[in-house]
Amino acid sequence: MLSMKKFNWIIILLVFALTSVHAQQEEKVYFDVSGKKALETGAYYYRVLVSVPNVYKSYYMSGKLYFEGNISTADSENEANNKYSGTCTWYYKSEKKKVEKKYNTSGQEDGSTFYYYESGKLWKEIEYKNGSIVNGKYREYSEKGTVASIFEESFDTNINDWDMYVSNASSAKLSNGQFELKSLTKEGTSRLISIPIISDDYIIETTIDNLESNGNKVGLVWGFKDWQNYNYLAISESYFDAGIVYEGVQFAKVDGMYSAELVKRGKNTIKLFVNNEKLIITFNGVLQTKIPELKMQGNQLGYVVSGISTIKVDNLIIKELNGTAIGGTSNTDMSVKSTGSGLILSQNGYIATNYHVIENNNKIIVDVVINGETKSYDATVIQKDEQNDLAILKIKDTLFNIGEIKYAFSETGTFNVGAGVFTIGFPYALSGMGKDAKYTDGKVSAKTGYNGAINSFQTSIPVQPGNSGGPIFNDKGQLVGVLNAKFSSADNVSYAIKLNNLKSLFDLLPETPMPSNNKLETLSMEEKIKVLSTFVVLIKVK
């Protein structure tokens, strides 16, 4: 049993401990706009510990929330030295989210990071793994909803695997956030990395410091396949060249053009805009010339120096414009000449449709509904089978990921006459019926198609223009065919290409697993339609 004296001491210690915690929680540390410690009179915001051991909140001087999250190591002099953990969120003065980041226990960004405009719309979406951007690319959105994928090289680490070999002829190294490339002979040297540029519209920006070019040409090559096939831009003091080498033959589009904007021995920011089949060249923010677009021949990009020269590169940014406006009817719909339907086959954006849907296209745009929001992506034809009226497209955005494919191909690909089937598609999507996916059902009427064609089968599903290319599912929610035609002289007579023909085309794709998720079988028809509609897309052809 405790004596009264010991009991009193315990009470005193508890009160002291609670008072200390309370004082620690209420202590305010003030910072300026750059996150450095400041006096209260000149502070932009202040930070308080709200829960032991490491839950903090920061507030603008007006009292509105600025930050909330875990700071495992909180620096009182400079917030740049903080070590964060878990989910951390920063806010605008309007109290809308500004940035949301996730950190692992080591304080590295790990997971999805989101940046927002003050309007509340998404600005950037970046996926991190142990502090590095996954695949070196992230998404950027305009406030109007256009989407681009961004590759950004800061040269802090060699995550993109630049070749750093050193020899008697040349050397390359990373130092202080710069990439240094040096040639020690008259032959010159180069360093390249693989960066596939898939979109037809893109921007390349880089800053080259040519302090020791000695009048030799230094610059950039892209769309590089080999030294017989590549695009180039080279600067030499106040002059520049641009062109293409194709099958070993040089086609100069710009040859020794003078530029007053080039810094002879110093930093030059080069920016290339490719849009509407034109290449626009700018130096240090000033337009230099427009030339016909240089076609991509390969997937490599890098730097070249000629003669005994040294350059230092500060940054490299590649922005691919992957699609049109998100949500609603964009102005680009006005130039669409036809539409069809398609089915997503893989997480990374392979799509099955009819060949006649995308025949003679100049551009293909695919509308995908992700989390209730319509996003538009450029697509290209990967495989085609004109005889069976099939084509496989690929969404160009290298960051595209629809998630798990939640349906299966029919194991046998066979069915009986009278079996129930249905389709989901986009009939008359831009002509009054709207861009919501439409469900229609029917029965298998015959195991052969028009005039007894054995590559297809007949159904009683009523279809309209725009349904072409849409999937045909059986009652289990398994894919059995691709809708491709209707018989205009009779009601409710339509035809679909059999699944086996699609499988033959699908087998030609690289490293793409066959959809085999059979979980839909146990769902109601309403639930099946809801899930399957996620993978059915509107195809717009220009």
Side-chain angles (χ1 to χ4, degrees), residues 139-165:
R139 284 196 182 96
E140 182 178 275
Y141 302 88
S142 72
E143 288 202 78
K144 292 183 178 179
T146 55
V147 60
S149 64
I150 313 293
F151 171 89
E152 191 168 341
E153 170 66 274
S154 60
F155 299 112
D156 292 322
T157 62
N158 195 23
I159 191 171
N160 293 308
D161 198 26
W162 293 91
D163 199 333
M164 294 297 174
Y165 73 85

Side-chain angles (χ1 to χ4, degrees), residues 53-68:
N54 57 11
V55 179
Y56 287 83
K57 286 189 177 182
S58 298
Y59 298 89
Y60 291 101
M61 298 308 291
S62 64
K64 292 183 177 180
L65 186 63
Y66 172 78
F67 165 85
E68 60 182 346

Side-chain angles (χ1 to χ4, degrees), residues 147-381:
V147 60
S149 64
I150 313 293
F151 171 89
E152 191 168 341
E153 170 66 274
S154 60
F155 299 112
D156 292 322
T157 62
N158 195 23
I159 191 171
N160 293 308
D161 198 26
W162 293 91
D163 199 333
M164 294 297 174
Y165 73 85
V166 176
S167 69
N168 293 331
S170 67
S171 67
K173 67 177 182 179
L174 297 179
S175 178
N176 299 321
Q178 290 184 315
F179 173 60
E180 181 185 288
L181 179 60
K182 180 180 290 189
S183 170
L184 304 174
T185 69
K186 294 180 180 180
E187 285 71 27
T189 192
S190 64
R191 296 293 190 275
L192 306 171
I193 58 173
S194 178
I195 309 177
I197 300 178
I198 300 173
S199 175
D200 295 328
D201 300 331
Y202 60 89
I203 300 168
I204 300 175
E205 179 179 351
T206 190
T207 301
I208 299 176
D209 188 336
N210 58 338
L211 282 173
E212 299 178 27
S213 63
N214 301 314
N216 294 307
K217 294 179 179 180
V218 302
L220 182 73
V221 294
W222 73 100
F224 182 95
K225 177 183 177 184
D226 52 39
W227 287 112
Q228 303 294 308
N229 300 274
Y230 60 92
N231 305 320
Y232 66 88
L233 176 93
I235 59 176
S236 177
E237 296 188 337
S238 298
Y239 299 88
F240 71 98
D241 307 300
I244 184 171
V245 175
Y246 179 69
E247 293 300 320
V249 180
Q250 181 177 354
F251 298 89
K253 304 297 183 180
V254 178
D255 190 6
M257 180 179 287
Y258 174 78
S259 171
E261 305 305 324
L262 283 172
V263 179
K264 289 185 179 181
R265 293 200 174 188
K267 292 184 178 182
N268 288 289
T269 297
I270 298 168
K271 207 165 187 177
L272 309 176
F273 299 81
V274 175
N275 184 258
N276 296 324
E277 298 184 350
K278 295 289 184 182
L279 169 62
I280 301 171
I281 300 172
T282 72
F283 296 141
N284 301 315
V286 179
L287 174 65
Q288 302 301 306
T289 188
K290 298 180 182 179
I291 61 176
E293 175 190 356
L294 306 179
K295 299 295 184 182
M296 306 297 286
Q297 302 176 76
N299 290 329
Q300 290 186 293
L301 177 150
Y303 299 92
V304 178
V305 297
S306 68
I308 301 174
S309 309
T310 301
I311 62 169
K312 292 183 178 180
V313 184
D314 280 346
N315 70 300
L316 171 62
I317 299 171
I318 302 172
K319 180 182 290 189
E320 293 186 71
L321 308 177
N322 293 305
T324 54
I326 298 172
T329 301
S330 70
N331 291 331
T332 59
D333 285 350
M334 299 179 66
S335 60
V336 172
K337 63 183 181 182
S338 63
T339 65
S341 302
L343 177 67
I344 295 177
L345 301 169
S346 66
Q347 292 188 18
N348 60 346
Y350 285 103
I351 297 169
T353 189
N354 290 144
Y355 172 75
H356 80 260
V357 168
I358 51 82
E359 187 179 10
N360 300 322
N361 75 86
N362 292 317
K363 189 171 186 178
I364 302 171
I365 298 170
V366 177
D367 281 1
V368 185
V369 178
I370 300 176
N371 296 325
E373 185 177 45
T374 300
K375 298 184 179 182
S376 297
Y377 298 91
D378 290 346
T380 189
V381 179

